[in-house]
Amino acid sequence: MNKHMLRQQVNDMYQALSGNERLKAEKRIYEYLFQWSGWKQADTIAVTVSLKNEINTGPIIETGWQQGKRMCVPKIEPEQRGMDFYEIQEFGELERTIGQIYEPKKGMCPLVPPEQLDLVLVPGLVFNRQGYRIGFGGGYYDRFLNRADFSTAALIHPFQLQDRIPVEAHDVPVQTLISSEGFIHVE
């Protein structure tokens, strides 16, 4: 299957989840994440503000704040095809931008250099057991993940895991996959 077909398949599966199924699965994912040593040891965590067909990251950001962690969200720079992370301390520091995504308001949040990040929670639609992913098509994360040495993880529903996906030379795998069924060993 090509990337477009895999994206569509996963989006259809997201649509088929009832609200209750989704909430139960996300609660289990959060439990695994917050008990994981990678989370516990991280002081500065990068995470996107989720869209409709993604694991809800609002509770993750809130838990990070409650635990005294620096929570950082991305702002894309389409002209440079780049992305940087900014620390947010409340949801009011975000605004809707291109594609209806939430990003830090310009000039309101401090830039966090990649080398200060301890953990990056990487979004995506489809993953394989080697940690490779199919994202949303911009390539922003693959370019960013090459910039520094930090831990990476992705939070997924079991239906997002596929045996085979197209992998390109520039793709960067995540180190850890966490699902509602637990940790998936990245080969």
Side-chain angles (χ1 to χ4, degrees):
M1 254 193 266
N2 67 32
K3 287 184 179 185
H4 175 75
M5 291 169 62
L6 287 165
R7 283 185 184 110
Q8 188 59 52
Q9 179 183 352
V10 168
N11 275 323
D12 290 346
M13 290 178 178
Y14 256 111
Q15 296 298 326
L17 277 180
S18 73
N20 194 35
E21 288 173 314
R22 186 173 176 158
L23 287 173
K24 280 182 181 178
E26 288 178 349
K27 184 176 184 226
R28 286 193 304 272
I29 291 167
Y30 302 149
E31 288 169 359
Y32 284 115
L33 173 65
F34 300 143
Q35 292 171 10
W36 176 47
S37 62
W39 171 271
K40 289 179 178 179
Q41 294 167 6
D43 293 321
T44 305
I45 300 171
V47 60
T48 59
V49 178
S50 55
L51 297 172
K52 187 170 110 180
N53 283 348
E54 294 180 283
I55 308 275
N56 181 4
T57 58
I60 295 168
I61 295 169
E62 289 173 342
T63 298
W65 287 332
Q66 290 165 5
Q67 294 179 358
K69 297 180 185 293
R70 293 175 70 198
M71 299 306 292
C72 308
V73 297
K75 183 164 194 59
I76 61 169
E77 302 297 337
E79 299 80 33
Q80 294 87 11
R81 306 277 298 154
M83 175 175 72
D84 290 306
F85 282 85
Y86 294 82
E87 181 180 0
I88 61 166
Q89 297 182 348
E90 60 180 53
F91 290 113
E93 295 173 340
L94 301 171
E95 63 183 349
R96 279 191 181 249
T97 60
I98 301 166
Q100 297 301 303
I101 61 173
Y102 283 97
E103 294 185 318
K105 292 179 182 174
K106 281 193 185 283
M108 195 173 213
C109 305
L111 174 68
V112 178
E115 54 276 3
Q116 289 184 16
L117 297 172
D118 299 313
L119 172 62
V120 177
L121 298 177
V122 182
L125 287 169
V126 185
F127 294 82
N128 69 12
R129 292 190 180 279
Q130 291 74 43
Y132 287 100
R133 58 185 265 287
I134 297 174
F136 299 91
Y140 292 99
Y141 269 88
D142 287 316
R143 282 188 288 283
F144 184 83
L145 294 175
N146 281 317
R147 291 177 57 189
D149 183 29
F150 37 68
S151 295
T152 59
L155 310 176
I156 67 170
H157 292 286
F159 62 78
Q160 292 178 264
L161 188 63
Q162 299 288 319
D163 289 330
R164 295 193 349 231
I165 64 171
V167 176
E168 298 177 25
H170 65 271
D171 291 343
V172 178
V174 296
Q175 298 159 343
T176 304
L177 294 171
I178 304 170
S179 84
S180 56
E181 297 174 353
F183 292 87
I184 297 166
H185 176 70
V186 175
E187 301 166 357

